[in-house]
Amino acid sequence: MFAVSVHRVQLLLQVLSVKRFHHQQQQQQQQNNAAAQEELTQSEIGEICDYFSRRVASEPYDASRVASFITFLTLPISVLKEFLKLIAWKKGLAQAQGGEMAPGQKPRIELCLENHTGLNVAGNSSAAKSNIHYDRPHNSVDFALTVVLDPAHIPHINAAGGAAWLPYCVSVRLRYLFGETMNVSFLGMEGSHGGRACWSHVDDWEKSKQRVARTVEVSGSSPVDAQGRLRAVAESVQKNLHMCLQGLRDGSGVTASSGTT
């Protein structure tokens, strides 16, 4: 099963070097002509292949990880480029920290391919397994960022963890709306034991969620620079979660209101 799925993805990667789902973009009436004519560069195609090797074609086999990557490849090229900036930034951080570190050694944030719940879409299709959901008619894509927190800044850890969750991880679910109007919105935040593995008080967890929602609202609608909208959002989410935990550790508490600082 794993070999079949890997072969399927490799075929999709070969398509990238030829036309790359160009006919799908032409069917999207809300995409402007300039965006529809975009093509991936050789370096971007190389980045996708590298990401496939590092994150998808790895053991143990996970059907949702493969399904998410297949969905990832069907995104419009302009949106795919945004995700590639996020992926390249995360890889650069890992290399600066000495390579892919073991969980808990270094704080990090990355695109989550694994579908922990399996409840987003009914059925047994690839779309049902995927943790990335592309709504073509509405020009939007839902995805999640996994934030690995720095254990040194966690004031309390419930070592029991939870199903599919490590005690120092949270998942931030986002929606990227593109086309004529472009922004990123906050859909929710989850963690082990409803966040109580890292946040010993429910009020602190709720305030942290409000703070993350606020920073997504601000950074997700701000003007875009060369680093890309999704990378800017991910960076601000990571920074604000770190500040929330630091406030709990220092005894200053969590404030719900925050910008991108």
Side-chain angles (χ1 to χ4, degrees):
M1 180 62 186
F2 180 71
V4 172
S5 297
V6 168
H7 179 65
R8 181 183 180 186
V9 174
Q10 286 173 332
L11 290 176
L12 287 173
L13 288 173
Q14 291 174 12
V15 174
L16 287 173
S17 62
V18 186
K19 265 299 185 184
R20 244 255 72 279
F21 300 104
H22 193 66
H23 65 284
Q24 291 183 359
Q25 294 184 19
Q26 292 175 334
Q27 295 172 358
Q28 296 175 13
Q29 297 180 356
Q30 296 184 14
Q31 293 262 317
N32 58 44
N33 292 333
Q37 293 173 0
E38 282 186 323
E39 293 291 344
L40 291 170
T41 65
Q42 287 301 313
S43 63
E44 288 170 332
I45 293 173
E47 190 71 59
I48 292 174
C49 293
D50 176 70
Y51 186 65
F52 171 71
S53 299
R54 288 186 295 108
R55 287 285 289 116
V56 184
S58 58
E59 297 289 352
Y61 169 74
D62 187 303
S64 66
R65 191 167 62 231
V66 176
S68 295
F69 186 74
I70 292 172
T71 303
F72 170 77
L73 292 181
T74 67
L75 296 174
I77 290 181
S78 59
V79 179
L80 191 57
K81 286 175 179 284
E82 279 282 323
F83 278 96
L84 288 175
K85 290 177 182 178
L86 172 63
I87 289 168
W89 170 66
K90 184 268 172 183
K91 186 176 72 171
L93 288 180
Q95 291 173 345
Q97 294 170 349
E100 294 290 339
M101 308 296 288
Q105 288 182 298
K106 292 289 183 181
R108 66 183 188 274
I109 186 168
E110 64 181 357
L111 180 65
C112 181
L113 299 179
E114 294 80 10
N115 187 338
H116 294 300
T117 64
L119 300 175
N120 293 314
V121 181
N124 195 36
S125 65
S126 177
K129 296 184 179 72
S130 176
N131 200 43
I132 301 174
H133 302 291
Y134 174 26
D135 186 346
R136 185 176 285 106
H138 296 96
N139 282 344
S140 70
V141 55
D142 293 359
F143 63 99
L145 297 174
T146 297
V147 186
V148 181
L149 305 167
D150 188 347
H153 292 96
I154 297 176
H156 169 76
I157 293 182
N158 180 341
W165 289 104
L166 295 174
Y168 38 75
C169 289
V170 297
S171 176
V172 180
R173 191 89 189 161
L174 304 171
R175 174 169 294 158
Y176 178 34
L177 180 66
F178 52 91
E180 295 181 2
T181 302
M182 294 177 28
N183 64 69
V184 181
S185 57
F186 176 86
L187 297 180
M189 192 166 88
E190 299 177 313
S192 176
H193 297 290
R196 292 192 300 277
C198 301
W199 283 259
S200 53
H201 299 291
V202 175
D203 287 349
D204 290 332
W205 169 249
E206 292 300 325
K207 288 178 182 178
S208 295
K209 285 201 291 187
Q210 292 173 30
R211 178 168 181 151
V212 170
R214 173 58 181 161
T215 195
V216 169
E217 178 186 349
V218 174
S219 59
S221 58
S222 298
V224 182
D225 57 19
Q227 71 177 356
R229 187 179 303 276
L230 298 185
R231 172 183 163 173
V233 170
E235 195 168 11
S236 63
V237 166
Q238 184 180 39
K239 184 183 297 183
N240 274 271
L241 277 172
H242 170 77
M243 292 175 66
C244 288
L245 289 175
Q246 191 172 37
L248 292 176
R249 187 194 63 173
D250 297 341
S252 57
V254 178
T255 56
S257 61
S258 174
T260 57
T261 56

